[in-house]
Amino acid sequence: MVVRAILSLAKRKMTEPFCLAWVFLSALMILSGALLNPSQMKRYVSTRGLILTIIIVSGVLWGLWFISTQVSILKRKDQELAMQVSLLNNDYEKIIKELEKLEKEK
């Protein structure tokens, strides 16, 4: 997940805050896997329950990953559109000033 988050940041598919959140989440997952003792897990959870839990957690993580990349892409497009609107407003103001100047000359 860490590598995938960094690659998404490099490909401009994810913004920095989302990438930081995913790196933090993956670091927490690594720490919990290292610090918890999974050998005694069979005492508390059955194999079928563990498989079902892994599938559900993987699905939720994939969904959250998809949503965060889509939100990041939309935020970048929104920034680009804001810049284009600003440039269009500047052009509009120049055209209006030029039009007023031409009307005064008539």
Side-chain angles (χ1 to χ4, degrees):
M1 283 179 68
V2 173
V3 173
R4 190 171 178 190
I6 293 171
L7 289 176
S8 292
L9 181 64
K11 291 179 184 177
R12 313 279 293 166
K13 285 188 175 183
M14 194 175 294
T15 56
E16 292 83 8
F18 280 122
C19 185
L20 260 153
W22 280 102
V23 168
F24 181 70
L25 180 67
S26 61
L28 282 176
M29 289 172 62
I30 291 169
L31 281 175
S32 67
L35 297 178
L36 295 176
N37 194 357
S39 63
Q40 296 180 2
M41 190 84 91
K42 288 186 179 182
R43 289 177 56 188
Y44 304 109
V45 181
S46 67
T47 305
R48 190 177 292 168
L50 183 62
I51 291 171
L52 184 62
T53 303
I54 289 172
I55 290 171
I56 291 171
V57 168
S58 297
V60 168
L61 285 176
W62 182 84
L64 290 173
W65 180 270
F66 179 75
I67 289 170
S68 62
T69 55
Q70 293 304 312
V71 168
S72 295
I73 290 170
L74 289 174
K75 284 177 79 173
R76 289 192 193 281
K77 286 182 180 182
D78 185 48
Q79 288 174 344
E80 184 179 336
L81 285 173
M83 288 188 300
Q84 290 177 357
V85 166
S86 176
L87 290 172
L88 285 173
N89 282 337
N90 286 339
D91 290 345
Y92 173 75
E93 288 176 10
K94 287 179 186 177
I95 290 172
I96 292 296
K97 286 179 184 177
E98 220 173 283
L99 184 62
E100 288 174 354
K101 184 178 176 184
L102 288 174
E103 284 179 354
K104 286 181 182 178
E105 288 179 4
K106 284 186 176 183

